[in-house]
């Protein structure tokens, strides 16, 4: 018999109103659009048809991720947990701003080291790295065979950097993982060898009709 692996799937939420508004999202608590809800149902039904299920589903408390997770849990008949640890990167007062306004009020420096915050009230890259690393540790320490984490593009990209051992470099340099609407990364962790396996990386769904 082979060793037991912990399967952890990281899923980004569906299209949100902030995506349509063209503003910075971060902690701006934007809901899913009708397209986003349809995307979530499509992904969940695809998984159900393929026999994919989970023993634990945990989602960010921000409503675009929470609602995505609720739809998945509805289709797969699973309970849902939420955690603030999986929230999107805190960009402070940039949340809800359009790019032009943000550049005028908070002009981007030529270089921002990984210990500096995006705005006075935001998170630094290192703060995000530490936060999601602790959230990931909690998932592994639970020892659940199959876990689904539903969160955000920024926080999940940083989580995958944690897995790869890529620490913050500043200016968002280094490795980045881009997950689109309902994009996901399916991984497996071997606790006896401390080896992560990347099993599948799906970039996301194109916009679909309601």
């Amino acid at each position: 018999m082979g060793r037991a692996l912990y399967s952890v799937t990281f899923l980004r939420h569906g299209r949100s109103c902030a995506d349509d508004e063209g503003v910075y999202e971060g902690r701006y608590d934007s809901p899913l659009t009708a397209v986003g809800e349809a995307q979530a149902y499509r992904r969940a039904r695809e998984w159900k048809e393929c026999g994919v299920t989970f023993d634990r589903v945990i989602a960010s408390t921000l409503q675009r991720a929470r609602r995505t997770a609720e739809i998945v849990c509805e289709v797969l008949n699973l309970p849902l947990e939420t955690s603030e640890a999986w929230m999107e990167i805190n960009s402070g007062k940039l949340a809800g701003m359009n790019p032009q306004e943000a550049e005028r009020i908070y002009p981007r420096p030529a270089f921002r080291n990984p210990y500096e915050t995006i705005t006075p009230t935001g998170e630094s890259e290192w703060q995000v790295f530490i936060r999601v690393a602790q959230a990931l540790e909690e998932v592994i320490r639970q020892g659940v065979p199959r876990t689904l984490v539903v969160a955000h593009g920024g926080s999940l990209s940083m989580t995958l950097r944690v897995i790869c051992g890529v620490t913050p470099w500043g200016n968002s340099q280094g490795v980045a993982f881009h997950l689109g609407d309902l994009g996901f990364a399916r991984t497996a962790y071997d606790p006896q060898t401390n080896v992560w396996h990347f099993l599948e990386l799906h970039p996301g769904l194109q916009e679909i009709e309601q």
Side-chain angles (χ1 to χ4, degrees), residues 160-210:
L160 297 175
R161 288 182 63 163
V162 168
I163 289 173
C164 293
V166 181
T167 57
W169 295 359
N171 256 25
S172 300
Q173 295 175 342
V175 176
F177 296 85
H178 296 287
L179 297 176
D181 299 342
L182 272 295
F184 66 89
R186 188 166 61 92
T187 70
Y189 177 68
D190 185 340
Q192 296 187 37
T193 61
N194 188 35
V195 172
W196 282 92
H197 303 268
F198 279 78
L199 306 178
E200 185 177 4
L201 186 63
H202 193 295
L205 297 172
Q206 298 295 321
E207 288 191 19
I208 57 177
E209 296 295 328
Q210 298 181 30

Side-chain angles (χ1 to χ4, degrees), residues 20 23 28 40 71 74 76-77 125 134 144 198 200:
D20 288 350
V23 298
Y28 176 41
I71 291 170
E74 172 194 329
L76 299 183
N77 192 28
E125 288 185 49
Q134 290 174 331
V144 176
F198 279 78
E200 185 177 4

Side-chain angles (χ1 to χ4, degrees), residues 3 14 37 54 94 102 109-110 114-116 118 120 122 125 127 152 171 190 196 198 203 210:
R3 292 193 298 268
E37 294 222 355
F54 305 96
L94 289 184
Y115 306 100
E116 292 181 277
I118 298 174
E125 288 185 49
Q127 285 175 319
H152 310 269
N171 256 25
D190 185 340
W196 282 92
F198 279 78
Q210 298 181 30

Side-chain angles (χ1 to χ4, degrees), residues 5-6 30 38 47 55-56 70 78 85 94 99 114 135 154 175 183 198 202:
L5 302 180
Y6 299 150
S30 177
W47 279 345
D55 302 299
R56 185 188 187 200
E70 287 172 350
L78 300 170
L94 289 184
V175 176
F198 279 78
H202 193 295

Side-chain angles (χ1 to χ4, degrees), residues 19-96:
D19 292 326
D20 288 350
E21 294 165 4
V23 298
Y24 286 112
E25 205 153 21
R27 299 288 174 88
Y28 176 41
D29 200 7
S30 177
L32 290 182
T33 63
V35 167
E37 294 222 355
Q39 290 171 330
Y41 275 110
R42 174 176 166 181
R43 174 68 72 219
R45 287 166 180 155
E46 287 175 351
W47 279 345
K48 185 174 183 178
E49 290 171 3
C50 294
V52 174
T53 191
F54 305 96
D55 302 299
R56 185 188 187 200
V57 181
I58 184 166
S60 158
T61 52
L62 293 172
Q63 60 179 320
R64 58 193 185 272
R66 187 181 68 245
R67 179 58 184 149
T68 299
E70 287 172 350
I71 291 170
V72 172
C73 288
E74 172 194 329
V75 173
L76 299 183
N77 192 28
L78 300 170
L80 174 62
E81 304 171 38
T82 58
S83 171
E84 292 183 351
W86 290 106
M87 292 173 73
E88 181 57 298
I89 294 170
N90 184 359
S91 57
K93 293 183 178 180
L94 289 184

